[in-house]
Amino acid sequence: MARRTSTFAYPTIPAVAWQPGLPVHGAPGWVIVVGSAGLPAAAKEAGERLGVDLDRLLEVQQEAGFSASAGSTVAYPLLSGEVSEVLLVGAGDGTAKELRHAGAAIARFGRGKDELTTVVAEGIDDQALQAFAEGVVLGSFSYTLKTVDTGKPVVGAITVTDGSTAERQTVVDRGIVIGRTGWLARQFAITPSNEKDPAWLAARATELAASTGLEVTVWDEKRLAADGFGGILAVGQGSTRPPRFIRMDYVPDGATDKTPYVVLVGKGITYDTGGLSLKPREGMVSMKRDMTGGGSVIATMSALRELGAKIRVTGLICSAENMPSGSAYRPDDVIRHFGGRTTEVKNTDAEGRLVMADGLAYAVQELKPDVLVDISTLTGAIKVSLGSMLYGGLFATDDALAANLTEAGRLSGEELWRMPLADQYQDLISTPIADAVNSSKGPGSITAALFLKAFTGNLPWAHLDLSSIAESPADRHEYSAGATGAGARLLTTWLTTETPTANIP
């Protein structure tokens, strides 16, 4: 087994600072964000500072093929003066989504540079400015274990201004924190599994809890057995690296018995071979990211105090490594979950719902929250339904909860599409041997959601199946090729709104 480190290198992200008015002495590189309506209002003064006719520069570059579509770039070198380069970056119609793309493009351009001065449209709204800062952080992401040609470091600092005297640093800071949750979740997911196992994930949660004012409790394999977490134990019993159940608790200052309470449950499968129902080789590639849901919960929890979330939140991470061996669980085994419900195993590669069931049952029985949300890369079937990198799947028992999460997805750029929870398919997971089976023919993402629903009591519940947005095929906009860390920005955005449980009974 490879030697695993006991500490984790948390991300170094660019410093992003708002500057009221144009700086007297800017960075050697200047960025002008160009919308579909043209240059920002401060471009005239910026051009005078730079000794460049920016209107003419834009005109020439447009004739050469540059457009203001979000994320498009063109660089222009300056041969005299303190500033050596001007970058034009497209921001489309200036929506939050398009500004996020623009921020990511600037971050990629800035690699290896110490500082950039960036001019945006005057009066840019808060959502767009926040998204711009998120994009800068997310576009800066990199992960490598190479010892040579490791690539350029992230840009040291980006100063942002619209030329006005307004003070907007608070908005920028929120964007940085939300972008950082996406970065963290991505880094957790992309870490190789010879380094990452359930104990590693528990160590990361413990470190972050200590630095962000959270309480953390970790169940090892002995405590899991004593407390009856049969699903997590079964999935993890084929591995030499035992499972863990991780609980993280956030309580806001001034909380009372009437403070709304949300529980998040994340799938933390640190590697998924399929177990005895072994995946083909191609199916195993990228399964180090099968803990994306759990990593997103950890990253979300780490941001709640800094962003001043007003509700109580508990994050539960159900973590195991699914391996084939002489001690692995088998098809036809019957598992008894936390709380007593039983499952007949038909496919050991449908393991995520088995560990998640324990977490959901624990939340209902022991925590009794107002709202319950689980998040996972649960099924390949959701990719068949929704394709790749457009929408994550949302199942919900409450319309208001579904609406609140959908809006958070829109704001964060991790968009959701609501799927049906059709009771007509319940017979597909029935069996005379146990309360349910863990795998069936038919609409796989729906039957998986129905399986989990049985563990949620009568609570308002949502299930996020994000396999469809968990893996980016290429560097594009705010995503880098590989694991996306899907869900962290969505959950953080939702939980830090003024009323995340609004209209939920």
Side-chain angles (χ1 to χ4, degrees):
M1 184 186 302
R3 180 178 180 271
R4 292 184 293 117
T5 58
S6 59
T7 57
F8 179 69
Y10 286 99
T12 300
I13 61 178
V16 186
W18 178 264
Q19 168 74 51
L22 289 181
V24 176
H25 299 287
W30 279 58
V31 179
I32 311 298
V33 178
V34 183
S36 56
L39 293 168
K44 185 176 187 302
E45 183 180 354
E48 291 172 354
R49 298 269 181 97
L50 299 173
V52 176
D53 184 341
L54 291 175
D55 286 307
R56 178 58 182 156
L57 174 61
L58 175 60
E59 182 182 335
V60 169
Q61 295 299 339
Q62 285 175 328
E63 289 172 356
F66 172 75
S67 76
S69 60
S72 60
T73 60
V74 62
Y76 180 75
L78 301 181
L79 303 181
S80 61
E82 296 180 356
V83 178
S84 59
E85 194 169 23
V86 173
L87 180 76
L88 302 180
V89 176
D93 291 332
T95 64
K97 181 178 182 179
E98 291 171 318
L99 263 295
R100 190 179 291 110
H101 295 345
I106 293 167
R108 289 194 173 94
F109 167 78
R111 287 197 171 279
K113 303 180 187 298
D114 292 331
E115 186 180 0
L116 293 173
T117 297
T118 301
V119 181
V120 296
E122 186 173 357
I124 178 175
D125 69 45
D126 285 353
Q127 283 186 12
L129 180 58
Q130 176 187 312
F132 176 84
E134 292 171 17
V136 168
V137 174
L138 295 165
S140 299
F141 179 81
S142 65
Y143 179 92
T144 184
L145 297 176
K146 293 176 68 171
T147 58
V148 295
D149 299 326
T150 57
K152 296 178 180 179
V154 301
V155 60
I158 294 180
T159 300
V160 185
T161 181
D162 66 354
S164 75
T165 58
E167 177 51 66
R168 309 285 297 279
Q169 188 63 44
T170 301
V171 178
V172 170
D173 288 344
R174 177 175 167 82
I176 293 169
V177 174
I178 292 178
R180 190 184 67 210
T181 66
W183 180 312
L184 270 174
R186 197 179 294 180
Q187 190 160 349
F188 291 153
I190 207 169
T191 298
S193 293
N194 59 332
E195 177 84 7
K196 173 179 64 187
D197 65 4
W200 182 96
L201 205 59
R204 304 293 76 79
T206 301
E207 290 169 2
L208 280 168
S211 63
T212 57
L214 306 177
E215 295 293 325
V216 65
T217 309
V218 178
W219 279 251
D220 64 11
E221 65 274 26
K222 292 180 181 179
R223 186 174 175 186
L224 286 168
D227 290 351
F229 286 83
I232 297 174
L233 284 167
V235 173
Q237 72 189 39
S239 175
T240 59
R241 303 196 287 180
R244 294 289 185 268
F245 181 58
I246 307 158
R247 172 177 170 177
M248 305 175 76
D249 287 288
Y250 165 77
V251 180
D253 295 337
T256 69
D257 291 342
K258 295 183 179 180
T259 301
Y261 183 26
V262 172
V263 171
L264 309 174
V265 181
K267 174 184 172 184
I269 301 297
T270 55
Y271 197 75
D272 181 21
T273 66
L276 291 180
S277 304
L278 194 67
K279 295 177 184 288
R281 181 191 65 80
E282 295 81 3
M284 284 189 222
V285 174
S286 82
M287 282 299 100
K288 65 183 180 181
R289 63 140 177 83
D290 208 20
M291 40 58 64
T292 291
S296 293
V297 169
I298 294 171
T300 295
M301 296 298 297
S302 75
L304 297 181
R305 194 166 302 282
E306 190 169 358
L307 294 178
K310 295 178 171 60
I311 62 173
R312 291 173 57 209
V313 184
T314 294
L316 304 174
I317 300 91
C318 310
S319 187
E321 187 175 66
N322 189 23
M323 299 289 285
S325 73
S327 61
Y329 78 123
R330 297 158 290 260
D332 290 339
D333 282 1
V334 175
I335 294 169
R336 189 172 298 275
H337 294 278
F338 186 94
R341 186 175 169 87
T342 56
T343 298
E344 184 182 13
V345 177
K346 290 302 181 185
N347 182 352
T348 65
D349 195 22
E351 85 298 331
R353 68 203 71 181
L354 298 178
V355 300
M356 299 280 281
D358 279 358
L360 291 167
Y362 174 85
V364 171
Q365 183 172 315
E366 301 295 325
L367 303 180
K368 299 176 174 59
D370 301 307
V371 175
L372 183 58
V373 175
D374 73 68
I375 177 172
S376 60
T377 47
L378 199 65
T379 69
I382 199 68
K383 295 178 71 174
V384 177
S385 300
L386 298 177
S388 179
M389 295 305 294
L390 288 177
Y391 299 98
L394 164 66
F395 300 80
T397 57
D398 182 85
D399 290 343
L401 175 58
N404 294 350
L405 286 167
T406 299
E407 176 63 7
R410 185 189 68 80
L411 292 174
S412 66
E414 295 184 323
E415 298 199 55
L416 299 173
W417 190 273
R418 191 174 183 183
M419 301 288 288
L421 268 172
D423 287 335
Q424 294 93 322
Y425 295 130
Q426 195 71 48
D427 286 347
L428 295 176
I429 56 172
S430 65
T431 170
I433 304 299
D435 292 315
V437 294
N438 76 322
S439 180
S440 68
K441 295 180 180 179
S445 61
I446 298 175
T447 54
L450 288 172
F451 175 91
L452 292 176
K453 182 184 176 186
F455 294 88
T456 64
N458 295 315
L459 293 174
W461 164 69
H463 162 56
L464 307 179
D465 186 348
L466 303 187
S467 294
S468 51
I469 58 171
E471 186 86 10
S472 176
D475 290 352
R476 187 168 186 270
H477 298 319
E478 63 265 35
Y479 293 108
S480 304
T484 64
R489 290 184 285 138
L490 185 159
L491 291 176
T492 305
T493 298
W494 172 52
L495 292 171
T496 58
T497 58
E498 283 295 316
T499 53
T501 59
N503 302 316
I504 301 172

